[in-house]
Amino acid sequence: QVELVESGGGSVQPGGTLRLSCAVSGYKYSSNFMGWFRQAPGKEREGVAAIYTSGGRTYYTDSVKGRFTISQDTAKRTVSLQMNSLKPEDAAIYYCAAAFLQFGGSQALDPRQYDYWGQGTQVTVSS
């Protein structure tokens, strides 16, 4: 059974920094993509960042480019999301997800491509 556990959420002021981590366990073979998604109240879940685990190529939604960085530690089986210069509109529940099927990079931020999900961690950005 694949299990993903997020940590690192919290409350910060605009302009602040948070680092989310996702610990992955329970599978023998590596996923193809790992992604971070978020869902704010009343909105659909959206892809924030993703990483192709074999090659390390990363993908970001436009609104977080230059502010967020996704990274992986394959030895520790963790995926992290460094979030800098946080804005109120970044506030949401953030989810880590793993995808095992093959698909192209253009679909890396599509939540429908992901097979396993963590329970989510809350990020609040307010003054």
Side-chain angles (χ1 to χ4, degrees), residues 32-35 49-60 65 69-72 79 103-109 114:
N32 286 317
F33 284 87
M34 293 294 300
I51 186 166
Y52 182 55
T53 59
S54 295
R57 184 171 181 175
T58 56
Y59 305 82
Y60 299 94
K65 286 179 180 177
T69 303
I70 187 171
S71 60
Q72 63 177 345
V79 177
F103 51 83
S106 62
Q107 297 173 290
L109 297 179
Y114 287 75

Side-chain angles (χ1 to χ4, degrees), residues 5-102:
V5 179
E6 302 99 335
S7 61
S11 181
V12 296
Q13 294 184 341
T17 296
L18 282 174
R19 185 177 179 87
L20 306 181
S21 292
C22 175
V24 190
S25 62
Y27 59 90
K28 182 177 181 180
Y29 302 101
S30 297
S31 60
N32 286 317
F33 284 87
M34 293 294 300
W36 284 97
F37 298 80
R38 66 187 179 189
Q39 188 165 19
K43 295 188 177 181
E44 292 186 354
R45 189 169 298 189
E46 66 165 339
V48 176
I51 186 166
Y52 182 55
T53 59
S54 295
R57 184 171 181 175
T58 56
Y59 305 82
Y60 299 94
T61 192
D62 287 345
S63 64
V64 307
K65 286 179 180 177
R67 299 189 298 122
F68 290 12
T69 303
I70 187 171
S71 60
Q72 63 177 345
D73 185 328
T74 53
K76 295 181 179 179
R77 286 196 164 187
T78 59
V79 177
S80 298
L81 185 68
Q82 179 69 38
M83 304 187 295
N84 299 330
S85 302
L86 282 160
K87 304 176 180 180
E89 52 264 42
D90 294 318
I93 297 175
Y94 281 70
Y95 299 90
C96 173
F100 288 84
L101 296 179
Q102 287 284 356

